[in-house]
Structure formats: C-alpha cells, structure tokens
Amino acid sequence: QQQVKQSPQSLIVQKGGISIINCAYENTAFDYFPWYQQFPGKGPALLIAIRPDVSEKKEGRFTISFNKSAKQFSLHIMDSQPGDSATYFCAASRPGNNRKLIWGLGTSLAVNP
Amino acid sequence: DSGVTQTPKHLITATGQRVTLRCSPRSGDLSVYWYQQSLDQGLQFLIQYYNGEERAKGNILERFSAQQFPDLHSELNLSSLELGDSALYFCASSPQVNANIQYFGAGTRLSVL
C-alpha cells in the first residue's frame, strides 16, 4: 500500500512553462514533507521541504503548496528550464519511528528547450 | 557532492553469487540508510543503522544483510543473487537517528546476469 501517492509518473513541459507535481497522503501524523530531486547517475538531493503549519513555501523558482484538509501537497516549478529535467520524489515523515521517510514513486520531468 | 561515498559504482555478477556494497557517510553523520531503487518500485527503504546499531528495517529480504562498523562506514551484503535484485542501491546518511534530511551517495548499480 502506497502511503504517499505521487502523480503524474512522467511530465513533459516546455521551457518557461510551469511544472506541477502532486502528492497525496493518508496518515495525518505526517508532519514533514520534503521534495527530493534526482539527476541521472546521481542520488536524490533535498530540494525543498514544508511543515503543515504553513500553506506555501517558496525557494527561488520552486514552491511547495500544502493543503492540510485535502492531505495533499504539490511542487510547482516556475519558468521551467532544461536543467530542471530530473526525477522528483515527494516524501513524508512523522514524529517517532526514527522519522523514516515514506517516499512517493517519483515523477520524471523533461523540460524541452 | 553530498559527502557520501559509495563503492563500487557498478557491479556485474551472476545469479547465486554474493556481493558487498560499501558506504562511507558524511563526516560526523551517525545514521546510515540503505535504499533499493528500481524502475517500477521507486525508492524502497531497506534498513537504517545508527552509531553501529540497527534502528529500522524496511523491505529488506532475508538474503540481504547490513552492518555499520565502528568507523561508521556501512556495508550491504547481498547473497544468493537473483535477476530481480538488479537495481540501483543507494546509501544515505544523516547526523542523528531522527533526521528529516538525508544525504545520498551516487549509488551502486548492480546488474545480475
């Protein structure tokens, strides 16, 4: 059972467009929601993260939107660039349980020049 | 560069064989995590060690085992290898046992022929 459901599986966006990746979760105990970015041949790296006490967090062109009531959060990449082409993973963790990260299955993003 | 070192980068072996994957965490990090990444399963958490002790187990097969040594490096042992074990294996590290941010190595690509 996938505790964090991520969509879409793949995404193609034109340069300058907005990329949107969505994640949904069931466990209301989750209180930390990171996004990781993985380039081919590399390991995932933390991109941006949010806690449920805020509805939005922005870092440069990357924004997380969080909807606590809907148990959903999304990553928005504004002005998408070919260099953003990567696989993006959402994840969630809760207090205790060693804060094990529960991962989405990933979204492969391709930004066409 | 995340500071996490994994060796080897690539490993090709035959079914039934045994291999050892090695991970050196970031300097000062006490927690080490092992993940398996395949195309259809995303990132699967295998096991976590903290300061030499096993702290959490995920979907790790009985044919797989891991340990963390006094110098904090870790090894993942895979035995009786099957074709389905072909995947990318990532190691990640974090400073504490409960850590939201994990730093990933570049991974070991295992091919079982």
Side-chain angles (χ1 to χ4, degrees):
Chain A
Q1 182 183 0
Q2 197 68 26
Q3 296 188 51
V4 176
K5 296 182 180 179
Q6 184 172 347
S7 63
Q9 187 174 358
S10 62
L11 182 61
I12 300 174
V13 174
Q14 292 301 117
K15 179 182 175 181
I18 302 174
S19 304
I20 302 174
I21 305 170
N22 301 299
C23 282
Y25 63 96
E26 288 297 322
N27 191 340
T28 55
F30 288 146
D31 68 348
Y32 176 74
F33 303 89
W35 285 90
Y36 279 73
Q37 180 188 53
Q38 183 182 21
F39 292 108
K42 304 288 186 182
L46 180 65
L47 181 64
I48 187 172
I50 197 168
R51 292 191 179 276
D53 53 345
V54 296
S55 60
E56 185 175 283
K57 183 173 181 180
K58 185 176 181 179
E59 290 185 4
R61 296 183 294 107
F62 300 89
T63 300
I64 299 180
S65 297
F66 185 81
N67 186 329
K68 189 173 182 178
S69 60
K71 293 187 285 186
Q72 295 176 349
F73 59 108
S74 59
L75 176 69
H76 296 238
I77 306 174
M78 312 300 289
D79 187 25
S80 298
Q81 299 296 313
D84 298 329
S85 298
T87 299
Y88 293 81
F89 292 94
C90 64
S93 73
R94 61 174 177 83
N97 196 31
N98 294 324
R99 277 221 170 264
K100 186 173 75 172
L101 283 172
I102 308 299
W103 297 84
L105 291 181
T107 296
S108 177
L109 171 66
V111 181
N112 290 332
Chain B
D1 184 6
S2 67
V4 177
T5 303
Q6 288 188 249
T7 57
K9 289 190 184 303
H10 303 278
L11 201 48
I12 302 174
T13 188
T15 55
Q17 294 298 305
R18 172 189 169 94
V19 297
T20 297
L21 281 53
R22 182 188 169 98
C23 170
S24 294
R26 291 190 328 153
S27 177
D29 283 1
L30 299 177
S31 268
V32 169
Y33 310 79
W34 285 98
Y35 291 88
Q36 180 190 59
Q37 184 178 40
S38 54
L39 281 174
D40 59 345
Q41 292 291 322
L43 271 169
Q44 295 291 314
F45 168 70
L46 296 178
I47 197 164
Q48 177 198 3
Y49 277 81
Y50 175 75
N51 203 20
E53 293 188 3
E54 181 184 307
R55 290 305 298 259
K57 249 182 177 179
N59 301 321
I60 188 166
L61 300 172
E62 285 191 11
R63 300 183 286 109
F64 297 180
S65 65
Q67 54 184 328
Q68 185 179 27
F69 295 86
D71 67 352
L72 300 178
H73 92 270
S74 178
E75 292 181 356
L76 179 67
N77 300 296
L78 315 175
S79 61
S80 303
L81 284 168
E82 302 175 358
L83 296 177
D85 298 326
S86 297
L88 268 169
Y89 291 84
F90 286 104
C91 166
S93 74
S94 63
Q96 301 166 13
V97 64
N98 295 321
N100 284 324
I101 301 174
Q102 297 180 20
Y103 300 89
F104 283 77
T108 293
R109 181 173 294 279
L110 174 67
S111 298
V112 182
L113 305 179

